[in-house]
């Protein structure tokens, strides 16, 4: 750790109340708290003793991150209790900072039957593959006697006793359909790096895919990182089938890291809509923010950490991952990715850091991001991105297991099947003394 940096770490265990309902607020941690928004249970693969659950939510402070979790099982109820790490470096910011946290549960430890999986105040039911519930025999209810007294009629009142409750005014109905299609990133493709607080203009090219003419329509912020943009932005008029450019002025955050902001359309009747056949997809902007000074050197924190713990790099596992990725790209008509030694060095550095410091995340224990780790290896690029995965090889954390998990997660799948990427770095290390055992990092780039 650099002597000029001032870190203080506070591990906080957030005990989240388990109750039915939509997203709920957890108990605050100092001046920071997390909210669980949704749970996604991935399909369990045949022969794999692993149930994967994606916990999605957000924090209200960018210094608070979810690092791991505690599993509490009571009967057929499984509660996931996220554990957080509060890392204050320079100035923390409040806002809405989204996270996707993967959780691995040994399926063999779970009881038979339908499970109720909870995190915070969000819960979902999961039925194991092949489970068929037994049906109870219907019983005939005994008839009840008819009432013996005649109903009485209430006397009408001449004056109402209270004002009627106002009802919300729904969006005006339309005879046409609102829908959009994404065509291209005109500026700022996914993974573009910026300096802290650097201003930029994000421009998307979209098509009016519906039957309504876009007059007085807007692009509105949905979730993620706002990046100092206006939350409501007018868009150009567009007839059905017409392609237009939509631009928003933004500013990169002051802290190094990866940031994503999601946006949706709003019609002139107030109804929101999005991309795709269902009209629910979001437009997004994904950027990286460099550490001040460009992160051109490797810090002593990572070097000392990797030298003081035992881990093993396994290149055969890395080769299996590369083969799986390139076979899938080829079957989708995409070019193969070239293994790059500099990207691999950056990937191994991060996998070893996660293993030795016992954490899971894209930001390194020294504050590095995948952008600064690439730059530290002297690699030039115009765009980059990163996938990570952790898990014991004994419980599904094999190259095939890691690859399958990435392909079942849209954002990770998009990186693997991104036609613009031409190079890849792969780092896999195993550390028996760590919480997860195996640590995978993929780094993608284009020249």
């Amino acid at each position: 750790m650099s002597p000029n940096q001032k870190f203080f770490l506070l591990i906080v265990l957030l005990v989240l109340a388990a109750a039915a309902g939509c997203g709920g607020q957890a108990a605050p941690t100092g001046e920071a708290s997390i909210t669980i928004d949704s749970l996604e249970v991935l399909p369990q693969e045949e022969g794999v003793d692993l149930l994967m659950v994606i916990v999605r939510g957000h924090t209200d402070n960018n210094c608070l991150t979810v690092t791991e979790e505690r599993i509490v099982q009571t009967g057929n109820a499984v509660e996931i209790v996220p554990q957080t790490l509060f890392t204050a470096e320079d100035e923390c910011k409040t806002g809405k900072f989204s996270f996707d946290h993967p959780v691995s549960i040994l399926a063999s430890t779970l009881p038979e039957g339908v499970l109720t999986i909870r995190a915070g105040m969000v819960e979902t039911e999961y039925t194991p593959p092949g489970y068929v519930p037994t049906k109870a025999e219907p019983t005939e209810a005994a008839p009840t006697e008819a009432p013996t007294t005649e109903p009485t009629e209430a006397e009408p009142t001449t004056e109402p006793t209270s004002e009627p409750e106002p009802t919300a005014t729904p969006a005006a109905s339309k005879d046409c359909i609102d829908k959009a299609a994404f065509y291209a990133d005109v500026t700022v493709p996914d993974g573009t790096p910026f300096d802290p607080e650097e201003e930029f203009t994000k421009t998307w090219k979209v098509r009016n895919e519906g039957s309504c003419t876009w007059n007085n329509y807007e692009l509105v912020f949905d979730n993620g990182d706002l990046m100092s943009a206006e939350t409501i932005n007018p868009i150009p008029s567009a007839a059905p089938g017409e392609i237009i450019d939509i631009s928003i002025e933004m500013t990169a955050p002051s802290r190094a890291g990866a940031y994503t902001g999601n946006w949706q359309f709003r019609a002139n009747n107030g109804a929101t809509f999005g991309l795709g056949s269902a009209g629910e997809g979001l437009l997004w902007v994904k950027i990286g923010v460099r550490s001040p000074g460009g992160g051109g050197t490797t810090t002593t924190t990572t070097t000392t950490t990797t030298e003081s713990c035992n881990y093993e790099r396994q290149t055969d596992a890395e080769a299996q991952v590369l083969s799986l990725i390139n076979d899938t790209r080829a079957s989708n008509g995409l070019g193969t990715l070239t293994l790059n030694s500099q990207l691999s060095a950056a990937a191994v550095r991060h996998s070893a850091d996660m293993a030795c410091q016992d954490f899971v995340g894209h930001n390194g224990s020294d504050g590095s991001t995948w952008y600064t780790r690439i730059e530290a290896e002297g690699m030039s690029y115009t765009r980059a991105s990163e996938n990570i995965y952790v898990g014991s090889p004994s419980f599904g954390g094999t190259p095939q297991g890691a690859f399958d998990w990435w392909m079942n997660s849209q954002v990770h799948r998009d990186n693997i099947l991104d036609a613009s990427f031409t190079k890849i770095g792969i780092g896999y290390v195993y550390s028996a003394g760590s919480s997860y055992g195996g640590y995978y990092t993929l780094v993608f780039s284009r020249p």
Side-chain angles (χ1 to χ4, degrees):
M1 182 179 297
S2 169
N4 294 325
Q5 292 178 311
K6 296 181 180 179
F7 277 58
F8 61 91
L9 305 180
L10 176 61
I11 302 292
V12 181
L13 179 65
L14 296 180
V15 181
L16 308 177
C22 299
Q25 188 72 32
T29 305
E31 296 182 354
S33 62
I34 70 169
T35 298
I36 308 300
D37 296 320
S38 65
L39 295 172
E40 179 185 2
V41 183
L42 301 183
Q44 186 179 348
E45 295 185 26
E46 184 177 355
V48 178
D49 186 26
L50 198 66
L51 182 65
M52 297 294 297
V53 181
I54 309 299
V55 180
R56 293 190 170 91
H58 63 273
T59 69
D60 60 8
N61 190 304
N62 66 340
C63 290
L64 184 69
T65 57
V66 176
T67 57
E68 52 187 349
E69 73 287 329
R70 182 167 60 91
I71 306 297
V72 180
Q73 183 180 323
T74 306
N76 279 59
V78 178
E79 184 174 1
I80 300 171
V81 183
Q83 299 187 55
T84 61
L85 178 69
F86 191 90
T87 306
E89 177 187 9
D90 299 326
E91 181 183 356
C92 296
K93 291 191 175 181
T94 58
K96 187 176 181 181
F97 305 93
S98 300
F99 65 83
D100 286 4
H101 180 66
V103 177
S104 303
I105 305 174
L106 285 179
S108 59
T109 65
L110 299 174
E112 294 184 358
V114 179
L115 302 175
T116 298
I117 301 176
R118 300 188 183 101
M121 297 183 66
V122 179
E123 69 175 34
T124 185
E125 286 193 345
Y126 170 71
T127 303
Y131 174 74
V132 179
T134 57
K135 294 183 178 179
E137 292 295 327
T139 58
E140 186 174 349
T144 58
E145 294 184 2
T148 58
T149 57
E150 294 293 326
T152 58
E153 184 175 346
E155 291 293 328
T157 58
T158 56
E159 295 293 331
T161 57
S162 62
E163 291 293 326
E165 292 292 329
T167 57
T169 303
S173 61
K174 303 171 74 172
D175 295 329
C176 53
I177 297 173
D178 279 317
K179 193 163 51 176
F182 169 78
Y183 260 55
D185 288 309
V186 180
T187 64
V188 193
D190 292 352
T192 301
F194 290 97
D195 290 327
E197 300 183 352
E198 181 178 351
E199 297 179 355
F200 64 93
T201 302
K202 172 65 184 181
T203 301
W204 299 272
K205 188 178 292 291
V206 299
R207 182 176 186 264
N208 182 347
E209 201 74 4
S211 56
C212 301
T213 298
W214 294 354
N215 284 324
N216 299 319
Y217 280 44
E218 300 163 326
L219 192 69
V220 297
F221 180 71
D222 184 79
N223 67 76
D225 303 303
L226 183 58
M227 291 179 263
S228 302
E230 297 292 335
T231 57
I232 301 174
N233 300 268
I235 65 176
S237 298
E242 185 177 353
I243 298 174
I244 61 172
D245 288 350
I246 301 175
S247 298
I248 297 180
E249 300 299 321
M250 297 182 173
T251 302
S254 59
R255 268 178 76 89
Y259 297 87
T260 300
N262 295 305
W263 299 78
Q264 62 179 335
F265 297 85
R266 186 161 67 189
N268 50 20
N269 67 340
T272 56
F273 64 97
L275 310 171
S277 58
E280 297 177 352
L282 300 175
L283 279 177
W284 65 64
V285 53
K286 299 180 181 181
I287 69 165
V289 178
R290 304 181 181 96
S291 294
T297 59
T298 304
T299 66
T300 57
T301 301
T302 300
T303 303
T304 302
T305 300
T306 55
E307 290 178 355
S308 63
C309 80
N310 295 321
Y311 70 88
E312 176 188 356
R313 179 185 180 185
Q314 298 182 1
T315 56
D316 56 339
E318 296 172 1
Q320 292 178 54
V321 170
L322 179 63
S323 178
L324 289 166
I325 289 174
N326 277 335
D327 286 350
T328 300
R329 286 177 64 91
S331 65
N332 283 272
L334 302 173
T336 58
L337 297 176
T338 302
L339 189 65
N340 179 271
S341 60
Q342 292 169 297
L343 294 179
S344 289
V348 171
R349 168 187 169 184
H350 188 55
S351 290
D353 187 27
M354 288 192 292
C356 293
Q357 293 285 3
D358 215 9
F359 75 96
V360 181
H362 289 286
N363 286 356
S365 63
D366 58 355
S368 64
T369 66
W370 65 76
Y371 306 102
T372 62
R373 290 190 288 270
I374 295 173
E375 291 166 358
E377 298 299 329
M379 180 78 177
S380 60
Y381 64 95
T382 58
R383 181 178 167 229
S385 194
E386 182 180 83
N387 284 3
I388 60 174
Y389 175 88
V390 299
S392 170
S394 301
F395 305 116
T398 61
Q400 184 70 58
F403 176 77
D404 291 344
W405 189 86
W406 286 322
M407 293 301 290
N408 280 315
S409 170
Q410 190 62 51
V411 64
H412 299 95
R413 178 188 177 93
D414 289 346
N415 282 338
I416 290 174
L417 298 181
D418 192 315
S420 69
F421 288 137
T422 59
K423 298 179 181 179
I424 189 173
I426 304 174
Y428 173 72
V429 305
Y430 178 78
S431 175
S434 64
S435 294
Y436 297 96
Y439 297 79
Y440 294 83
T441 301
L442 308 180
V443 184
F444 307 86
S445 80
R446 73 177 187 188

